[in-house]
Amino acid sequence: MNYKNFEPKIIAFLCNWCAYAGADMAGTSRLKYPANVVPIKVMCSGRIDPEFVIDAFEKGADGVFIGGCHPGDCHYVNGNIRTRRRVAMMKKLLEQMGINPRRLRLEWISATEGAKFAKVMEEFVNEIREIGPLRRK
Amino acid sequence: MARRIGIFVCHCGVNIAGVVDVERVAEELRSYPGVAFSTTYQYMCSEPGQNLIRQKIEEENLDAVIIAACSPAMHEETFRNVCKDYFNAYRCEMANIREQCSWVHDGEEATEKAIKIIKATIEKLRGNEDLMPILVPVEKKCLVIGGGIAGIQAALDIADAGYKVILVEKEASIGGRMAQLSETFPTLDCSQCILTPKMVAVARHPNIKLMAYSEIIDISGYIGNFDVKILKKPRYVDEVACTVCGDCEDACPVIVPNEFDMEKKPRKAIYIPFPQAVPSTYTIDREACLGLAPLTCAQCKEACEANAIDYDMQPKIIEEKVGAIIVATGYDLYDKNKLVEYGYGEDDDIITSLEFERMLSASGPTGGHIIKPSTGETPKKVVFIQCAGSRDVQHMPYCSSICCMYTAKHALLYKHHVPDGEAYIFYIDIRATGKGYEEFITRVMEEERINYIRGKVAKIFREGDKIVVWGVDTLTGKKVEIKADLVVLAMAIVGKKETRELAKLLKVATDEGRFLKESHPKLKPVEALSRGIYFAGCAQAPKDIPAAVAQASAAASKVLAIFAKDKLEKDPLVAVVDEEHCSGCGVCISVCPYGAMTWQNGKAKCIEALCEGCGTCAAACPSNNIEMRNYKDEQIEKMLEVII
């Protein structure tokens, strides 16, 4: 099947201190990336309850992105490390549920890494486009 | 809660309206549930824009507003201040349709995304509770990290205003890079002469606790209430008892290179980095000293009449509580060994700008004489290379900002020392934007007869007793070959190598050049994203002395604004435990990084003053009984729903 024309729906959970600021930096630097990604700001990536991720897929998201601070840089000491563990666990869970674990992606993006944010968004949208829609009618 | 929401879509000139169809956005949202009013305006943050919001809140009887404009990092405070006159600040939210929409997307899809972002923000807003800030006390004491000119200035400003300062310096003396300089551009006043009185003022100030030869090892807490651990390294010499007579130095048999002189001059294992050092005391270099570990040598102790030497001195950890932190850790030069094209800078006659600076200094390794290091002769032909490692994608892509100016100074001082010598400067562009800078460059070019060559040097190599410099003059298009006696590299500036570790303790991001990331590049250039932390000097970006001093005073004024209050407002976005349904499993207590979750009657309870609002506990709670104020599960679920 050819999904080339499908427009993936992607949720990006961004932590307030690093990834959200990195996304702002991508804007300030006018670095274009696909508009498929819609951000939700949370204070820390550690706030992201696995339920949010499941909920996003259930509601029809084709991909979920989580952006946090680099290890050691977390504004809240170690929330990002917990997120890393939770994401590893969620990927296993997703696999059990028949959802390709590549649909969930975690990246560390600092407040200075606007270029990385734009690049990762571009990559992730392309990856999801390649995997295809979660629901195939 | 919010039943009559007003939507205000900002054009931001053409920044948003040039991409997003703002009228359509406003139109579409008018019929969204809960929205009572929607409009657009050219600059919502301007006075008339703010007045429009006030007017419509009154006219339309709005009980909440959404400003769809730039990032909340930019103007959330501005708009919440407008709304505070009418209702709780949390009834105002911003939808970021500029940084995360119009600036990164084009056409129709940008408009669609803007609508989604605003709808999600409406859902968040509808779930918001009215909250009042939590008041916390302020420790009116400031920690300044780094004792260069920026740290010194900041410390003096705050201390003069009547508040306590702890100035921590890693090296044996304060003074930083400025103490190493000979003369300063563009006025050519002696660096030491203008700096040392300030160093002495720091040492004598009753409000400043100077902790030189000390390092920060831990920082925790938040604005108004930071807990800091400082490691005071042992000098093995009592700072107070030492009279700086120098008898110990004469007695010491160990000779090592002096870091202060860029390792171009020897010092003893017991040393004072430079004569005007503050605190004025000797220090034993633990690595080099023979007497410390096996007691094979104790010649300094025998020589010391003041009895100031103590081989058993131990490192001390000192804990301090401070309300604000200023980071002024300064810069290093980019590693010249990475410059393959310049022979890794390994040749004795290829030196860095700071090495040349020490050579020019009367107290430096050569006593102020310019020499060709390999032979000790006076160099008759000197090539200065600007942008060595700067403005180069292979190395550091940014401009190091001060090299054009100090290279002009170097060339001028060289000509004053060696009037019959020839000086060549390779440059890409001349950047002389400070006050009196352009005039200085003109003077150097015209009066001092320095040969400015516009172009980059391709290769440097040794041929006999000369250093051959190959380059291209891009104005004439001709190849240039200069057989020089001495080559001076104006090395790129990078943040101090310890900055990364310190930045981790401070939770501040650093960039490729190890510079600290400010809250906003234009409007908050001295603030960190985390409140209560400020930057001064080259720790934030390369800059000259006047800019470093100005930034230091700016940082000090920010700290004084905090200290002027008795209580600070803390975000009330804390965790709340549903005590009725809490099973008392204790998972939240184990994950909380702040110890804010505690037991109460077998159930978890959040101590609001300690909670920072990260939400790790809420995500971890197995029975979903912890909510984050105004970031509730329900709000996030609703946001997901409208986005998808």
Side-chain angles (χ1 to χ4, degrees):
Chain A
M1 232 201 257
N2 183 10
Y3 299 113
K4 286 277 148 55
N5 296 324
F6 124 86
E7 286 304 332
K9 289 174 181 162
I10 294 171
I11 297 284
F13 289 105
L14 307 177
C15 82
N16 182 54
W17 304 96
C18 297
Y20 193 87
D24 276 354
M25 187 76 184
T28 319
S29 322
R30 311 296 200 278
L31 300 167
K32 304 277 178 207
Y33 56 88
N36 306 61
V37 190
V38 182
I40 293 183
K41 184 176 82 172
V42 286
M43 292 311 281
C44 177
S45 62
R47 168 70 182 102
I48 298 153
D49 194 322
E51 273 190 31
F52 297 165
V53 176
I54 307 295
D55 199 31
F57 285 125
E58 202 178 305
K59 289 192 161 80
D62 298 297
V64 174
F65 176 82
I66 298 174
C69 307
H70 284 268
D73 289 352
C74 177
H75 185 78
Y76 303 103
V77 187
N78 57 6
N80 53 352
I81 304 297
R82 296 193 188 282
T83 305
R84 179 159 68 187
R85 289 188 203 156
R86 283 176 193 147
V87 167
M89 184 195 75
M90 278 187 270
K91 280 180 175 279
K92 286 199 171 128
L93 181 68
L94 290 177
E95 214 165 358
Q96 291 294 315
M97 292 165 74
I99 296 174
N100 189 332
R102 278 160 62 208
R103 291 183 187 276
L104 173 61
R105 179 161 174 179
L106 170 70
E107 285 286 346
W108 311 132
I109 292 164
S110 85
T112 57
E113 292 175 329
K116 181 175 179 187
F117 182 84
K119 183 175 147 265
V120 167
M121 288 305 118
E122 177 97 47
E123 264 174 34
F124 191 49
V125 171
N126 288 339
E127 190 174 3
I128 299 297
R129 216 185 280 277
E130 199 178 280
I131 298 171
L134 184 60
R135 289 188 173 74
R136 298 175 190 187
K137 284 168 204 153
Chain B
M1 276 230 31
R3 296 206 175 84
R4 293 188 58 79
I5 301 171
I7 311 278
F8 296 84
V9 186
C10 182
H11 294 206
C12 194
V14 293
N15 281 304
I16 295 171
V19 179
V20 170
D21 182 347
V22 285
E23 295 306 334
R24 210 190 101 202
V25 171
E27 179 61 40
E28 189 149 327
L29 289 162
R30 211 159 282 150
S31 55
Y32 195 80
V35 175
F37 173 80
S38 100
T39 190
T40 73
Y41 186 72
Q42 262 193 325
Y43 291 103
M44 215 54 95
C45 56
S46 67
E47 181 79 25
Q50 295 186 24
N51 287 339
L52 173 74
I53 299 170
R54 289 174 194 278
Q55 183 199 338
K56 292 299 170 190
I57 290 174
E58 286 177 18
E59 275 178 22
E60 303 287 334
N61 202 17
L62 304 176
D63 62 1
V65 296
I66 282 174
I67 320 294
C70 49
S71 169
M74 185 80 206
H75 274 316
E76 188 176 79
E77 210 181 325
T78 313
F79 292 118
R80 285 196 169 160
N81 281 337
V82 171
C83 295
K84 270 184 199 161
D85 295 342
Y86 303 94
F87 38 69
N88 189 275
Y90 290 93
R91 288 172 182 251
C92 169
E93 285 279 356
M94 287 194 75
N96 181 350
I97 60 165
R98 192 180 75 173
E99 280 85 345
Q100 299 192 12
C101 188
S102 71
W103 274 352
V104 288
H105 308 310
D106 293 315
E108 177 60 23
E109 53 181 27
T111 305
E112 290 300 326
K113 180 166 165 180
I115 293 169
K116 277 187 184 176
I117 292 174
I118 299 170
K119 282 182 179 172
T121 314
I122 295 174
E123 292 306 327
K124 160 135 190 353
L125 177 71
R126 274 144 65 108
N128 274 3
E129 286 172 58
D130 289 352
L131 301 174
M132 292 308 285
I134 298 165
L135 295 177
V136 292
V138 192
E139 185 68 43
K140 295 183 180 181
K141 195 194 277 183
C142 182
L143 170 69
V144 177
I145 308 172
I149 182 59
I152 288 174
Q153 183 66 41
L156 286 174
D157 283 356
I158 296 166
D160 283 345
Y163 297 103
K164 297 281 179 199
V165 177
I166 303 166
L167 177 60
V168 174
E169 166 60 48
K170 176 172 63 66
E171 303 294 341
S173 168
I174 57 170
R177 292 290 177 207
M178 191 174 165
Q180 292 180 294
L181 308 182
S182 55
E183 278 151 61
T184 53
F185 62 77
T187 45
L188 297 181
D189 35 3
C190 149
S191 187
Q192 290 267 355
C193 311
I194 54 178
L195 176 69
T196 43
K198 277 183 182 284
M199 292 164 61
V200 174
V202 164
R204 294 221 177 118
H205 208 296
N207 283 339
I208 299 178
K209 178 176 172 184
L210 173 60
M211 292 183 67
Y213 213 50
S214 301
E215 285 173 28
I216 305 293
I217 52 172
D218 193 38
I219 298 171
S220 59
Y222 50 91
I223 182 170
N225 298 276
F226 291 103
D227 291 301
V228 187
K229 280 191 189 142
I230 305 159
L231 174 75
K232 197 162 171 39
K233 297 179 281 188
R235 282 182 194 270
Y236 306 103
V237 177
D238 184 332
E239 284 178 27
V240 183
C242 175
T243 59
V244 210
C245 64
D247 289 349
C248 55
E249 188 178 2
D250 294 339
C252 180
V254 184
I255 297 172
V256 288
N258 190 0
E259 301 81 358
F260 183 80
D261 285 302
M262 306 309 287
E263 309 203 334
K264 297 292 177 199
K265 190 181 174 181
R267 66 162 169 82
K268 296 293 185 67
I270 186 161
Y271 70 106
I272 183 162
F274 54 103
Q276 305 85 343
V278 170
S280 185
T281 176
Y282 272 84
T283 302
I284 291 182
D285 175 351
R286 195 192 156 85
E287 302 299 316
C289 177
L290 298 175
L292 278 179
L295 267 170
T296 51
C297 168
Q299 295 187 34
C300 55
K301 196 177 167 77
E302 281 159 25
C304 181
E305 281 178 18
N307 218 357
I309 295 170
D310 172 11
Y311 295 132
D312 297 322
M313 207 177 260
Q314 295 296 318
K316 268 191 224 152
I317 292 174
I318 290 155
E319 291 183 24
E320 290 278 358
K321 198 168 181 74
V322 297
I325 299 173
I326 295 177
V327 191
T329 45
Y331 70 93
D332 277 331
L333 292 185
Y334 185 69
D335 184 2
K336 69 175 178 178
N337 289 329
K338 289 185 182 162
L339 296 176
V340 186
E341 61 274 36
Y342 299 159
Y344 304 100
E346 269 177 359
D347 199 291
D348 283 347
D349 296 337
I350 303 174
I351 66 173
T352 67
S353 38
L354 269 177
E355 287 164 4
F356 191 68
E357 201 72 54
R358 290 309 300 149
M359 204 184 261
L360 289 169
S361 169
S363 61
T366 57
H369 296 293
I370 298 171
I371 60 157
K372 177 176 174 165
S374 63
T375 61
E377 293 163 357
T378 301
K380 292 292 179 195
K381 221 178 239 187
V382 180
V383 173
F384 296 89
I385 301 175
Q386 292 192 180
C387 303
S390 301
R391 301 182 68 190
D392 186 338
V393 286
Q394 308 284 346
H395 301 288
M396 291 293 152
Y398 52 82
C399 166
S400 291
S401 165
I402 59 170
C403 326
C404 290
M405 292 309 298
Y406 74 61
T407 301
K409 176 193 79 178
H410 283 171
L412 174 144
L413 293 174
Y414 167 68
K415 288 288 279 187
H416 286 191
H417 280 77
V418 188
D420 63 335
E422 285 174 52
Y424 297 84
I425 297 178
F426 280 91
Y427 69 102
I428 306 179
D429 305 287
I430 293 296
R431 294 179 170 176
T433 55
K435 195 172 183 177
Y437 289 8
E438 183 62 26
E439 295 88 325
F440 181 73
I441 293 279
T442 309
R443 173 183 157 197
V444 171
M445 281 182 174
E446 290 172 3
E447 291 174 25
E448 305 293 341
R449 307 177 67 87
I450 310 286
N451 305 295
Y452 269 83
I453 302 168
R454 186 178 183 278
K456 272 210 110 169
V457 170
K459 198 174 177 186
I460 310 178
F461 57 96
R462 176 165 284 277
E463 199 177 88
D465 64 342
K466 299 282 180 194
I467 302 285
V468 183
V469 178
W470 278 355
V472 175
D473 183 338
T474 55
L475 294 179
T476 61
K478 288 196 176 124
K479 276 197 231 163
V480 182
E481 184 187 89
I482 300 165
K483 291 187 172 163
D485 296 309
L486 180 67
V487 173
V488 181
L489 303 174
M491 298 300 302
I493 281 179
V494 292
K496 210 88 183 130
K497 73 172 184 295
E498 298 86 352
T499 309
R500 285 247 157 87
E501 282 308 305
L502 182 66
K504 275 190 197 298
L505 294 178
L506 291 161
K507 315 297 174 209
V508 172
T510 49
D511 62 18
E512 60 200 330
R514 295 200 288 247
F515 299 114
L516 300 163
K517 167 80 173 134
E518 62 289 306
S519 182
H520 189 279
K522 296 174 202 79
L523 299 178
K524 290 185 173 179
V526 305
E527 290 103 321
L529 269 175
S530 309
R531 291 170 68 212
I533 299 172
Y534 306 93
F535 308 140
C538 288
Q540 181 248 345
K543 55 176 68 72
D544 55 22
I545 295 167
V549 170
Q551 197 183 19
S553 287
S557 81
K558 295 282 171 191
V559 171
L560 295 180
I562 298 174
F563 290 176
K565 294 176 191 150
D566 288 321
K567 295 262 181 186
L568 285 179
E569 294 186 348
K570 181 173 172 287
D571 254 348
L573 304 176
V574 296
V576 184
V577 183
D578 175 355
E579 287 174 36
E580 199 181 327
H581 296 102
C582 172
S583 69
C585 68
V587 168
C588 54
I589 297 173
S590 70
V591 299
C592 178
Y594 300 101
M597 281 288 177
T598 52
W599 292 109
Q600 194 180 56
N601 303 327
K603 308 213 167 182
K605 186 178 167 52
C606 174
I607 304 169
E608 292 189 348
L610 293 179
C611 177
E612 285 288 293
C614 63
T616 298
C617 56
C621 178
S623 46
N624 253 345
N625 270 325
I626 301 177
E627 282 292 9
M628 299 311 297
R629 287 211 165 124
N630 292 355
Y631 277 99
K632 286 181 271 195
D633 285 15
E634 197 188 291
Q635 285 172 292
I636 290 172
E637 281 158 24
K638 288 240 171 78
M639 288 171 89
L640 281 173
E641 206 169 289
V642 295
I643 292 172
I644 303 164

